[in-house]
Amino acid sequence: MKRGSITLYLCMILLVMMSLVFAGISSARSAARRVIVAAGTEEGLFSAFAQYDRDLFDQYGLLFIDASYDSGEPQYGKLLKEIRDDADYVIDSDRETLVGKNLLGLDVSETETALTGYVLAADDGGSAFVRQVCQQMKQQVGTAAIQAIQARVNDEVDQWKSAKKRKDGYTAEDAGASYEEDKSKHKGNSSWDSAKPVDPSPTVDSARKRGILALVVPDSRGVSAEKVDLKQFLSRRDTEQGMNMIPTGYDGSLQKMMELEFIVEDFPSFTDESDDDGLKYQVEYAIAGNYSDERNLRIVSNKLVGLRVPFNLFYILTHEDMRLQCEAVADAVCTALLVPAAAPALSFTLQLCWSYAESVTDVKGLLGGGRIPLIKDEDSWRLSFDEIISFGNCDPNDNGSGLDYEEYLRMLLAMKSEQDLTNAMMDLTEYNIRQIDGREDFRLDCCIDALRVEVSAYAGQTEYTCERSYGYDMET
């Protein structure tokens, strides 16, 4: 064996081992850089989502990033700069942080960010907005309570539909048949002769021309004159759209009822007597969708009267004394006018007038804070036949039973579609945030629910890229 051969052999072995060691170090260094870039990306995302809009959260419990920064236009470049700056606290080894310099001392710099996808609150018909509203209502009210409300409201709406169907099917011919049957049954009854031959239908028609609000708004209350420009509302304008991400919608049950309850609980109505700036009757806007408080209240009042008429009409039809009184007055009036054949038709008109007058009085009671049962009895019926003439001036009695104004509004809201409720929620939420000083340019369609970013960092000539997504649905 030649001298030095072992030394040469060991040097060659050592060279191979050192190559493996340095290769391992280089690989570990690259892996560490990738980890650092990923950690920086997540740090930037988490920091961005920690900057949720405080007003939205404080008022409605909703979590969104205002990407417009109250400018009225999306500022994605500004948002990306904030994400990059926050990511650099982890990625850039030369940047001083709260805990000193990057502990690994890796030379990773020149961080770049790109927005590769995002979801806005108004995307896909407001899917992200609805999801957060439903989650908030689920926590605030509870599923069991929502189910109870749904069962009650659905039952009330079904009763109304049934009553309306019967009302629509009740014709003058039916009234005529009833008239002839009652006349035959009660022939010679003295109460027919003693009925006052006063036709109140012209008075009712005249009162209708005064407008519904003149009849139903309590004397102690005025009507708000607030107006809005509907073109500025989210549902009436062109909106910003998200990019390359599908919104996460609500995947639970009772969605419509949760939206309904959010509107009733979080927005004011006529009986709340709100002192806040802006629209006072916001639940009414969700139902009517008009530009002023006065018009919204008028539309809702007419709807409530229309809702009450079928119930009141069929109370009259099932109450023999009331039906006979209408027929007696019709008979007396038509006999005096020498047109006795018109008595059945007039009886039909009187029944409708009486039910309408009672319904107007009901709505006046609701707006005054009272309660009105869906199906009345003798204790809850307010107007006698003689009081029809002055029904607009009658004070409703409140027997403390039945449904209040808010519960009747729930019925009207339940007749709207889910998308109509969603549009109303977004309109009102955006509108109310705009009433806050300094938030006049707030736009809900510039609010981010989820986003995806790509962060690139360089170490020498090597580029390290990481893409991460995050959102308030907590899916990463």
Side-chain angles (χ1 to χ4, degrees):
M1 181 179 294
K2 296 182 180 180
R3 296 184 62 184
S5 59
I6 295 178
T7 302
L8 180 60
Y9 175 77
L10 291 176
C11 288
M12 294 177 65
I13 294 297
L14 183 60
L15 181 61
V16 173
M17 294 179 63
M18 291 297 293
S19 297
L20 292 174
V21 170
F22 282 117
I25 292 173
S26 178
S27 177
R29 190 178 181 87
S30 294
R33 286 169 175 167
R34 286 193 291 271
V35 170
I36 287 297
V37 173
T41 303
E42 294 175 357
E43 175 72 19
L45 271 177
F46 296 160
S47 296
F49 278 90
Q51 300 177 53
Y52 55 85
D53 191 291
R54 301 293 299 199
D55 294 320
L56 269 177
F57 181 75
D58 291 343
Q59 289 196 32
Y60 304 110
L62 305 178
L63 292 167
F64 289 100
I65 304 171
D66 180 13
S68 73
Y69 297 89
D70 293 321
S71 67
E73 297 292 337
Q75 304 291 321
Y76 299 125
K78 184 175 180 179
L79 177 62
L80 277 175
K81 183 179 182 301
E82 291 184 353
I83 292 175
R84 183 178 67 246
D85 290 344
D86 290 329
D88 271 347
Y89 277 101
V90 176
I91 294 174
D92 190 349
S93 60
D94 294 328
R95 180 188 288 268
E96 289 286 348
T97 68
L98 295 176
V99 295
K101 292 191 175 184
N102 189 300
L103 296 179
L104 292 176
L106 299 179
D107 183 18
V108 182
S109 57
E110 299 182 22
T111 306
E112 295 179 357
T113 55
L115 190 60
T116 59
Y118 54 90
V119 173
L120 300 175
D123 285 351
D124 192 26
S127 292
F129 185 87
V130 170
R131 188 197 75 248
Q132 290 207 32
V133 165
C134 291
Q135 290 171 343
Q136 171 65 13
M137 294 310 299
K138 194 173 181 179
Q139 294 177 0
Q140 181 178 323
V141 180
T143 301
I146 294 291
Q147 288 175 334
I149 293 171
Q150 181 183 48
R152 187 182 71 244
V153 172
N154 286 346
D155 180 63
E156 293 162 356
V157 171
D158 288 343
Q159 290 186 62
W160 174 77
K161 288 180 178 179
S162 176
K164 186 176 185 299
K165 184 177 180 180
R166 288 180 294 171
K167 172 186 174 296
D168 293 341
Y170 181 67
T171 64
E173 289 76 13
D174 296 323
S178 176
Y179 175 87
E180 295 299 332
E181 180 181 346
D182 289 338
K183 188 174 182 180
S184 174
K185 184 192 296 186
H186 298 277
K187 187 175 182 179
N189 191 316
S190 59
S191 63
W192 284 61
D193 300 327
S194 62
K196 296 180 180 179
V198 178
D199 179 7
S201 56
T203 302
V204 173
D205 289 337
S206 177
R208 281 178 171 174
K209 294 178 182 179
R210 293 167 53 196
I212 188 65
L213 295 185
L215 300 175
V216 301
V217 175
D219 298 335
S220 59
R221 292 285 305 275
V223 176
S224 168
E226 290 290 339
K227 298 179 180 180
V228 295
D229 181 5
L230 290 180
K231 293 180 181 179
Q232 300 300 315
F233 274 18
L234 186 145
S235 64
R236 314 295 178 95
R237 67 170 190 261
D238 293 333
T239 59
E240 293 288 328
Q241 299 296 318
M243 177 183 74
N244 296 337
M245 291 185 75
I246 299 175
T248 302
Y250 181 64
D251 60 358
S253 59
L254 306 172
Q255 175 178 318
K256 182 176 180 180
M257 196 55 52
M258 289 184 181
E259 293 183 57
L260 186 156
E261 200 62 18
F262 179 79
I263 292 174
V264 173
E265 293 294 331
D266 286 78
F267 300 105
S269 64
F270 179 84
T271 54
D272 292 326
E273 301 187 44
S274 173
D275 294 327
D276 295 336
D277 294 334
L279 289 177
K280 302 295 189 295
Y281 316 147
Q282 297 188 6
V283 180
E284 287 83 351
Y285 167 80
I287 296 169
N290 220 293
Y291 70 89
S292 71
D293 277 334
E294 184 271 334
R295 284 175 176 262
N296 288 324
L297 184 61
R298 185 200 315 163
I299 291 171
V300 168
S301 296
N302 277 318
K303 285 181 177 292
L304 289 176
V305 170
L307 191 150
R308 286 296 319 156
V309 165
F311 292 109
N312 291 335
L313 174 61
F314 276 89
Y315 177 78
I316 293 173
L317 296 179
T318 57
H319 197 285
E320 188 177 56
D321 288 344
M322 298 174 74
R323 189 176 68 249
L324 289 175
Q325 190 168 7
C326 291
E327 294 168 351
V329 171
D331 187 63
V333 170
C334 291
T335 299
L337 295 175
L338 304 179
V339 284
L346 180 58
S347 172
F348 177 70
T349 300
L350 294 178
Q351 292 167 8
L352 291 175
C353 286
W354 199 351
S355 61
Y356 175 81
E358 180 73 10
S359 299
V360 168
T361 306
D362 290 342
V363 176
K364 186 173 184 178
L366 291 172
L367 293 178
R371 291 178 173 271
I372 303 297
L374 276 182
I375 302 175
K376 290 194 168 185
D377 54 23
E378 291 186 8
D379 293 332
S380 56
W381 190 268
R382 174 64 182 87
L383 295 180
S384 66
F385 188 88
D386 294 337
E387 291 176 315
I388 298 177
I389 295 178
S390 58
F391 75 96
N393 300 318
C394 291
D395 291 326
N397 60 346
D398 178 16
N399 60 9
S401 63
L403 310 180
D404 62 13
Y405 180 65
E406 192 174 88
E407 290 171 300
Y408 274 94
L409 292 183
R410 282 188 174 91
M411 291 179 62
L412 296 180
L413 287 169
M415 299 176 194
K416 308 285 287 185
S417 69
E418 281 187 10
Q419 190 58 56
D420 286 340
L421 295 182
T422 299
N423 290 340
M425 288 191 304
M426 292 193 294
D427 284 346
L428 294 172
T429 299
E430 181 182 82
Y431 175 78
N432 287 338
I433 297 298
R434 286 183 172 184
Q435 304 310 303
I436 300 172
D437 290 340
R439 306 299 309 274
E440 293 81 6
D441 294 320
F442 172 80
R443 287 178 56 177
L444 196 58
D445 60 319
C446 290
C447 290
I448 293 177
D449 174 67
L451 59 83
R452 183 172 61 242
V453 297
E454 182 180 270
V455 174
S456 297
Y458 296 86
Q461 299 300 315
T462 305
E463 179 183 10
Y464 296 89
T465 300
C466 178
E467 187 177 66
R468 288 287 188 272
S469 60
Y470 190 76
Y472 287 118
D473 56 1
M474 300 306 293
E475 293 184 3
T476 57

